[in-house]
Amino acid sequence: MLINCVVYEDGTKLADIPVSKISDYLSLPGCFVWVALHEATAEELAELQAEFGLHPLAVEDAQHGHQRPKVEEYEDSLFAVMHLLEPEGPETSRLGIGEIDVFVGHNYVVSVRNRSEHGFVEVRERCEREPELLRNGPGFVLYALMDAVVDRYFPIIDAFEVEIETIEQRIFTKGAARESIKRLYDLKQRLTVLKHAVAPLLEGAGKLHGGRVPQICLGSQAYFRDVIDHLGRINGSIDAIRDTIGTAIQVNLSMVTIEDGEVTKRLAAWAAIFAVCTAFAGIWGMNFKNMPELDWRYGYAVALALIVGCCGYLYYRFRRAGWV
């Protein structure tokens, strides 16, 4: 679906135009066309491919979707893929994975958004408010889109940090170990989704700042350096949270082991106490004829007192040792 198709001249919006009129402006000096699509059909991509001469491999990637974040150079054009991460709903903590594919040439930008409801109207408004920067052409538009995508990762990483702090506070709560481990693994899974979005994009964005910078991005290298800096910070935070999760899981497992050990000690203590009862009862229950206690008037009372006394003494010692 076509969202908008706008032509810019020297950093200033010239007009909204239909796709059929794109070719009338491409040859004008200082002009470039910015087309935004949502869930583009094969027919729409084919039409734009004919208008701008998009590389067929890049068009194929945009049609199939579910691509790894990347920045690829095709002769005098660029093709960038970025992941859009959004919560799947208010009742779930899982992250939905959307995608934006951006085709960039010296006189055009085509952005195709898939599986995401959050658009980029604010990016176009920002660019139009800064005509002196928009004069840098499609390269600056690519930076603005990339910067907007990366900025959306910060609230996610902040939420992860708050969640791991909350879980850490419950680690030493008795009986909460199993639930904490479950939450930690869920958080680790979502963190991996973010890692898969950030790490490849960090590698791809490096091509737009250092070394042989594509001609399209000349004049915007400093802005791409800012994006790389943000991605580096997010990537560092991800690694730090992953280390914390690993440590928290080990602590939780240790707490489970300790709790199991406490149960084992209680069972062992009570088993020892009842073993004494069983031993005395087993001896006096043999009923041999010549057992002196059988004919003693106070034998029964003394036997019970001895059993209770021994068991009481064992209970006292186990109690002091913290086993019961």
Side-chain angles (χ1 to χ4, degrees), residues 14-28:
L14 194 59
D16 289 279
I17 61 173
V19 174
S20 58
K21 296 291 184 181
I22 289 177
S23 56
D24 296 341
Y25 293 91
L26 292 180
S27 59
L28 298 179

Side-chain angles (χ1 to χ4, degrees), residues 251-282:
V251 172
N252 269 276
L253 293 175
S254 299
M255 293 300 298
V256 171
T257 302
I258 291 172
E259 290 179 3
D260 290 344
E262 292 293 329
V263 173
T264 302
K265 287 194 297 184
R266 289 189 180 92
L267 292 174
W270 285 110
I273 292 173
F274 283 107
V276 171
C277 299
T278 304
F280 281 119

Side-chain angles (χ1 to χ4, degrees), residues 198-217:
V198 171
L201 185 59
L202 177 60
E203 178 184 351
K207 304 175 184 178
L208 308 178
H209 166 63
R212 188 187 66 82
V213 178
Q215 184 71 26
I216 299 169
C217 299

Side-chain angles (χ1 to χ4, degrees), residues 18-297:
V19 174
S20 58
K21 296 291 184 181
I22 289 177
S23 56
D24 296 341
Y25 293 91
L26 292 180
S27 59
L28 298 179
C31 286
F32 75 90
V33 179
W34 182 357
V35 182
L37 300 169
H38 181 221
E39 304 290 350
T41 64
E43 292 75 16
E44 288 174 327
L45 287 175
E47 184 179 8
L48 292 175
Q49 182 180 7
E51 290 286 347
F52 298 118
L54 305 179
H55 198 281
L57 291 178
V59 173
E60 182 181 357
D61 286 346
Q63 286 178 341
H64 293 164
H66 301 283
Q67 299 295 311
R68 183 175 183 266
K70 59 185 177 179
V71 177
E72 294 180 337
E73 188 174 1
Y74 294 100
E75 299 174 355
D76 59 346
S77 64
L78 290 175
F79 176 65
V81 178
M82 293 170 280
H83 283 180
L84 306 174
L85 305 181
E86 303 171 0
E88 289 188 347
E91 298 181 358
T92 178
S93 60
R94 295 181 59 185
L95 291 175
I97 306 174
E99 184 177 306
I100 180 170
D101 305 317
V102 187
F103 303 84
V104 186
H106 72 280
N107 58 357
Y108 67 85
V109 177
V110 179
S111 60
V112 183
R113 176 167 50 92
N114 295 305
R115 305 184 306 281
S116 175
E117 298 301 322
H118 190 178
F120 291 90
V121 176
E122 73 280 1
V123 176
R124 190 180 292 272
E125 292 174 349
R126 172 195 174 184
C127 291
E128 292 177 355
R129 288 195 307 267
E130 300 174 330
E132 68 282 357
L133 297 177
L134 194 56
R135 288 193 184 97
N136 291 321
F140 180 77
V141 175
L142 174 61
Y143 150 74
L145 289 170
M146 191 175 293
D147 186 55
V149 171
V150 173
D151 283 347
R152 294 180 186 181
Y153 295 155
F154 279 106
I156 297 174
I157 201 71
D158 290 342
F160 288 170
E161 290 175 344
V162 171
E163 186 172 353
I164 190 65
E165 290 174 1
T166 303
I167 296 174
E168 283 184 311
Q169 292 174 358
R170 289 179 50 84
I171 285 180
F172 298 102
T173 301
K174 189 174 181 179
R178 184 181 297 273
E179 180 64 25
S180 295
I181 291 176
K182 182 179 178 181
R183 292 180 62 186
L184 286 167
Y185 271 103
D186 178 67
L187 177 58
K188 187 176 182 180
Q189 184 180 26
R190 284 178 283 137
L191 194 68
T192 300
V193 172
L194 180 59
K195 180 73 172 182
H196 289 168
V198 171
L201 185 59
L202 177 60
E203 178 184 351
K207 304 175 184 178
L208 308 178
H209 166 63
R212 188 187 66 82
V213 178
Q215 184 71 26
I216 299 169
C217 299
L218 290 178
S220 300
Q221 299 99 308
Y223 298 99
F224 286 109
R225 180 177 61 192
D226 182 64
V227 171
I228 293 170
D229 177 63
H230 289 174
L231 285 170
R233 286 165 51 194
I234 295 173
N235 195 52
S237 297
I238 291 174
D239 291 338
I241 295 176
R242 291 179 69 176
D243 291 341
T244 303
I245 289 175
T247 302
I249 289 175
Q250 292 299 320
V251 172
N252 269 276
L253 293 175
S254 299
M255 293 300 298
V256 171
T257 302
I258 291 172
E259 290 179 3
D260 290 344
E262 292 293 329
V263 173
T264 302
K265 287 194 297 184
R266 289 189 180 92
L267 292 174
W270 285 110
I273 292 173
F274 283 107
V276 171
C277 299
T278 304
F280 281 119
I283 293 172
W284 281 310
M286 291 186 290
N287 294 324
F288 288 118
K289 183 176 180 180
N290 295 322
M291 289 182 68
E293 296 89 349
L294 295 178
D295 298 324
W296 188 28
R297 179 179 179 183

